[in-house]
Amino acid sequence: MSCPAPSLLAVYADGGLEGTDALAIERHLAECAQCRALADGFAAEAALLRRALRHEEPVPIPPLSRPLGPLAWLLLALGGGAVGASALAVWAAVARAVPAALRWLDPLEPGGLFDLSVTVLIRLAIGGTAMIDSAVSSAVSALVLVAAAVAAFLLLRRRAGAAAFACTAVLAAALPTRGDAVEIRRGMPIVTVPAGETVADTLIVMAESVAVDGDVQGDLIAFARRVTVRGHVTGSVLGAAETVTIEGTVDGNALAFARAVTLSRARVERNFYGFGRDVTIGTSAEVVGNALAFGETVGMHGRVGIDLLSFAGTVEVGGEVARDVEAHGREVTLLPAARIGGDVLAHVPDEDDVRASSGSRIGGEVATAAPPEAPRNKYLTPGFYAGQALRLGALFLAGLVLLWLFAGLREVTLHDGRDALAAAGRGLVAAIVLPVVSVLLLITIFGIPLGVLGFLLWGLGLYLAKVPVAHIIGRRLFASPAGPPHYATTLIAGLVLVVMAINVPLVGWVVNAAVTLVGLGLLTRYALGHVGPRAAQSTMA
């Protein structure tokens, strides 16, 4: 008998042959050592597979770590206290290192920034309603631009032409322009409107360099590295660039964000807002309304028709201001050519930081006001910890009620980072969509109750968003083979860690936002799972 095929030997080794076929293979194996070795290998392989596939009882995996004992908890508390004390010392040293003149710019003092914002709003209100109206219009325009672009991309991302048309239509209807349409120019390194050319629309430009020497019968919105306006704009000018230079005529407001903002031989019929490192109003420039400047250095050498308000390290006034000048900074200098019709109020560290040249003329008084003292470090006040304790207690009680009413929330978990990102995205959508839908419902009489209910649910969701995240953290903290303890224990442990994290200087607000969005996403997923088609299907099942 010749040697059988290896496949036939494999079937024989597995017990798949019977009768005369099996006897013939056995006789051949008794005579052929090579086939016998091959058959023995097939038999060993089959036995190994049978042992591997045999069902066995699962072996319990021992816990990776033992629960923390009293000594470990004590060491953890002492270590946390040492780290907290070190952080407070570093925080206090950094706060003391900030110069008093720049205290309003200190990012470590959010209270000072809030006070500054309130001061600016009050000052704008005193200066006239036109400035506030212009600022609101600009803000609404920017929001409309972003909303239109995002909506068009999300809804019509497969139809680029339709998306562009939707953006253009929304902008044309919403932007405060005197033109009848919107013209967008981009895709070229240099965009120019030469002298003699008239753009009868609002013009939106995105390029490396923008130069407008002609006329724009509407608003001009320019995003570039260099923006130069030498022509005539019948609306307002919004420029965001490395350098913004206006040498022409603007019938509306001029708003510029740049490293260097310059008005040179320019005439702004309404108000001027300059934000940059260096803000300059040249000798031949005129602002008919108010001028507001933020920067490291502010130089006003032209003419301002109403008031000048500046926030800068160094302020120089060498031009004409019809009414009052208010300056916040390290030093304020009134040059000999300064002509001020009203008062000068300088917020400087010391009276000697205000220098008035002998040739300057001031119709009112020159007064100084020292910058407000830095508020006491909140981390060193007992009231801060008392307030946090009350906050923790109220959130704990509210969380207990929530987990008692909705027992399913006790089992909600986050498996990995991708799951947390998905929950945060869901929470962001809920935080935006729910108040918008509630406002739309309030427009109709029949939808008012639903709109009010929507706002209540929105506020309640934002407040309780930390509860599911804290409960998940507590369950992970007390993980053991015997299962987690009572949900009150896991909740309070997680809330303590969350409250501590959201009060960490500089990054606490980021943690707070992340925890709120993730928690709101978890609450939204739980609510959608118990209301609607999914809940109905589970009930029918």
Side-chain angles (χ1 to χ4, degrees):
M1 177 181 179
S2 59
C3 293
S7 59
L8 188 60
L9 290 176
V11 175
Y12 169 78
D14 198 30
L17 292 181
E18 297 179 355
T20 57
D21 294 335
L23 291 176
I25 294 295
E26 290 177 359
R27 294 192 192 99
H28 178 75
L29 294 180
E31 300 174 355
C32 181
Q34 182 177 359
C35 291
R36 186 167 57 253
L38 186 59
D40 291 342
F42 286 139
E45 182 180 354
L48 181 62
L49 289 175
R50 283 194 293 270
R51 286 196 302 271
L53 298 176
R54 185 180 302 128
H55 176 71
E56 296 181 358
E57 291 295 329
V59 178
I61 301 176
L64 298 179
S65 60
R66 295 178 301 173
L68 297 178
L71 181 59
W73 280 110
L74 178 60
L75 294 176
L76 183 61
L78 292 176
V83 173
S86 302
L88 291 177
V90 173
W91 178 269
V94 173
R96 287 194 299 270
V98 177
L102 296 180
R103 193 74 68 183
W104 62 276
L105 285 174
D106 183 7
L108 307 182
E109 298 292 345
L113 295 178
F114 177 78
D115 293 339
L116 172 63
S117 302
V118 173
T119 302
V120 171
L121 290 177
I122 293 175
R123 192 68 186 87
L124 291 176
I126 295 176
T129 58
M131 298 178 68
I132 298 178
D133 177 69
S134 175
V136 172
S137 299
S138 301
V140 171
S141 300
L143 291 176
V144 169
L145 176 63
V146 174
V150 172
F153 175 76
L154 294 178
L155 298 177
L156 303 170
R157 55 185 176 182
R158 295 184 180 179
R159 301 177 182 178
F165 177 79
C167 291
T168 304
V170 172
L171 288 172
L175 284 174
T177 175
R178 300 180 186 180
D180 297 326
V182 174
E183 180 176 340
I184 301 177
R185 297 186 182 182
R186 62 178 183 176
M188 295 177 291
I190 301 177
V191 175
T192 62
V193 179
E197 179 181 350
T198 299
V199 179
D201 310 313
T202 285
L203 179 62
I204 301 177
V205 186
M206 290 166 280
E208 179 73 16
S209 177
V210 176
V212 178
D213 295 313
D215 296 340
V216 177
Q217 295 181 353
D219 295 330
L220 172 63
I221 302 175
F223 302 92
R225 184 178 297 274
R226 294 177 298 276
V227 175
T228 304
V229 180
R230 289 184 287 262
H232 181 199
V233 179
T234 60
S236 298
V237 172
L238 169 61
E242 184 176 340
T243 60
V244 175
T245 303
I246 301 178
E247 301 179 357
T249 302
V250 179
D251 292 346
N253 301 293
L255 175 63
F257 300 85
R259 179 181 60 83
V261 180
T262 304
L263 296 184
S264 176
R265 299 189 303 274
R267 179 179 175 85
V268 179
E269 296 292 343
R270 296 185 66 184
N271 305 300
F272 168 68
Y273 308 91
F275 301 83
R277 190 188 69 181
D278 302 312
V279 181
T280 304
I281 301 177
T283 55
S284 300
E286 180 180 3
V287 178
V288 178
N290 299 275
L292 174 65
F294 286 78
E296 176 62 25
T297 62
V298 172
M300 208 297 292
H301 306 283
R303 185 181 187 281
V304 175
I306 304 180
D307 295 332
L308 171 64
L309 175 63
S310 64
F311 297 85
T314 303
V315 180
E316 287 188 353
V317 180
E320 179 183 353
V321 179
R323 286 170 43 178
D324 301 331
V325 173
E326 183 173 350
H328 298 252
R330 292 191 303 266
E331 58 183 27
V332 178
T333 302
L334 303 178
L335 300 176
R339 302 291 184 266
I340 300 171
D343 300 329
V344 176
L345 176 60
H347 299 265
V348 291
D350 192 81
E351 293 183 359
D352 296 335
D353 295 323
V354 179
R355 302 177 180 88
S357 303
S358 58
S360 59
R361 298 179 183 178
I362 302 172
E365 298 179 351
V366 178
T368 59
E373 295 184 359
R376 186 180 179 185
N377 194 328
K378 65 178 182 179
Y379 297 102
L380 301 179
T381 60
F384 169 75
Y385 297 97
Q388 294 302 313
L390 291 175
R391 177 184 184 182
L392 177 63
L395 194 56
F396 173 65
L397 293 177
L400 282 182
V401 174
L402 180 67
L403 297 179
W404 176 68
L405 290 176
F406 305 99
L409 283 174
R410 306 174 199 170
E411 306 301 326
V412 171
T413 186
L414 294 171
H415 301 288
D416 50 25
R418 182 177 299 179
D419 198 10
L421 287 176
R426 192 181 296 108
L428 179 61
V429 173
I432 296 175
V433 171
L434 189 56
V436 172
V437 173
S438 300
V439 170
L440 295 177
L441 290 174
L442 289 174
I443 296 176
T444 63
I445 297 178
F446 297 101
I448 291 179
L450 293 178
V452 173
L453 179 61
F455 273 112
L456 292 177
L457 291 177
W458 179 60
L460 192 62
L462 292 177
Y463 178 73
L464 296 175
K466 297 179 180 62
V467 171
V469 177
H471 183 56
I472 292 174
I473 295 175
R475 288 171 58 190
R476 298 285 178 86
L477 185 64
F478 291 99
S480 66
H486 192 270
Y487 62 87
T489 304
T490 57
L491 178 61
I492 187 62
L495 283 176
V496 169
L497 295 178
V498 168
V499 172
M500 291 176 60
I502 64 179
N503 282 286
V504 174
L506 296 180
V507 299
W509 67 273
V510 179
V511 177
N512 189 18
V515 170
T516 301
L517 291 179
V518 172
L520 187 60
L522 294 175
L523 293 176
T524 303
R525 183 176 67 183
Y526 178 80
L528 294 178
H530 290 74
V531 178
R534 294 182 180 178
Q537 291 176 3
S538 61
T539 304
M540 294 175 62

